[in-house]
Amino acid sequence: MKRFAYDSPNDAIAALAAPLAPVDVQHDCRDLLGRVLACSIVADRDHPAADVSAMDGYALAMRRPANSGEIHCNEEIPVTGESIPGSPPPDFSDFGVIRIFTGGMVPAGCDRVIQREYTIESTGGDSMPLGTVRWRAEAKLTQPAANIRGRGENIEAGEEALPPGVVVRAPQVAAIASFGVESASVRRRVRIAIITTGDELGRIDSPTNETLPPWKIRNSNAHALRAIVTPRPYVNPPTMLHAPDEPEQLKQVVSDAVADHDIVLLTGGVSMGDHDYVPKVVSEIGAQTVFHKLPLRPGKPILGALYHVPDSATAKPIIGLPGNPVSATMGAVRFALPLIDKLAGITHWEPNPPSIMLDEIGTKTLHLHWMRAVRMTGPGTAELVVGKGSGDLVSLGASDGFIEMPPTAHHPGPWPFFAW
């Protein structure tokens, strides 16, 4: 008999993500950095806008194409003009060559550029103020169109430069600016609610140096989950909430959070204890549980549910993470971040982590998917950070991220690496 709804984290994430649609569109956004495009960015003109030189050299035309005999190494040729970036090109003269600089427009009639290193240059005089050049032997090898970036080589006017679903970072900012775009349609920022549960937790807004009795603990999960989602510029600062171990109060907090946000993350109360009310509350507010418990360590009790907004196609995910800090932190990275990215409208939202090798593997194996904290030791290599359970924040703080190993695996890798 199958014990779990899904055999792997990837399958569980895919099931939870399947009905999710991107959040609404915000039109005419001018501050595009960090936002997710909801429209295409179209080239307003050819790029390059003209034939330009790819290097410093001399533009010329061959009288008889493909006849390298026309380049005579002993012939002294006058320089009749200069093509400088940012200026229109000079007219080409049949009896000379044009000195051209990288990015300068290639004059009409020229069919190649011979780089400066293949020339012997002479300074100018009264009769030839721009000087003369003679060709070195390497110049004979220059082919038609050599060292010329043709008009529209990168993209032609009217073509799509950037598709929807792309996060606008520095390279995209450069592309958008080069095509004269000042505003564009983007997805609005994703609204996230983070709810910690449990009477044992101190207040979220308590001073970190507050003295607590031994039966209370500081609410590290609230800070960890906020730190995980905040660096994503396409999400709003998360709403931080706390609910006590009281079913009706928890139900009200969860219900309100679902109504006002696109995704809700909870920590604690998802297992089978007498005070673990989250599964029951999620069902009572009308959400559909997609999975509860996965073959996973840490984080086996994790819950994934979907709230379908009445009279709407909108579905909102609810992720119930265990209360133990290591489980909550790893689970948020592994499960919440992909769903946030899909809600944000990112086309390639599925996790695609890099792979690393372990320096040493240890002796233990598990019949579960095993998320293991690691510390990077070099390019593509890491060592295990051995902790003392899913409440060990000290070992978690010494790690750079975690790997995920499938059941019964026992070799150095490569393993997918999820960085903090």
Side-chain angles (χ1 to χ4, degrees), residues 98-227:
I98 301 295
R99 182 178 292 127
I100 193 166
F101 299 91
T102 303
M105 281 184 62
V106 177
C110 295
D111 71 346
R112 69 198 68 193
V113 172
I114 295 180
Q115 59 236 63
R116 197 169 189 177
E117 296 90 327
Y118 294 172
T119 68
I120 301 171
E121 299 173 313
S122 300
T123 57
D126 293 339
S127 60
M128 296 180 186
L130 295 178
T132 63
V133 295
R134 284 185 293 140
W135 308 122
R136 297 184 185 274
E138 298 93 334
K140 290 186 176 184
L141 303 177
T142 306
Q143 299 296 311
N147 304 318
I148 294 176
R149 296 178 56 226
R151 177 176 177 173
E153 178 181 301
N154 297 332
I155 194 171
E156 295 182 357
E159 291 185 335
E160 182 181 68
L162 293 173
V166 171
V167 182
V168 178
R169 298 187 173 95
Q172 292 76 31
V173 166
I176 290 169
S178 70
F179 297 119
V181 176
E182 293 186 351
S183 66
S185 296
V186 298
R187 296 289 174 182
R188 67 163 174 81
R189 291 187 171 93
V190 178
R191 298 188 290 255
I192 303 171
I194 295 173
I195 306 172
T196 54
T197 69
D199 295 337
E200 74 277 15
L201 296 179
R203 299 193 319 274
I204 295 174
D205 57 353
S206 295
T208 54
N209 62 349
E210 180 184 30
T211 301
L212 295 176
W215 55 88
K216 289 280 190 178
I217 58 176
R218 295 187 175 93
N219 196 339
S220 63
N221 283 343
H223 296 281
L225 268 60
R226 177 163 51 193

Side-chain angles (χ1 to χ4, degrees), residues 59-61 63 77-81 92-98 110 133 135:
L60 70 156
R63 305 298 182 272
I77 306 169
V79 178
T80 61
F92 174 68
S93 173
D94 287 342
F95 63 86
V97 294
I98 301 295
C110 295
V133 295
W135 308 122

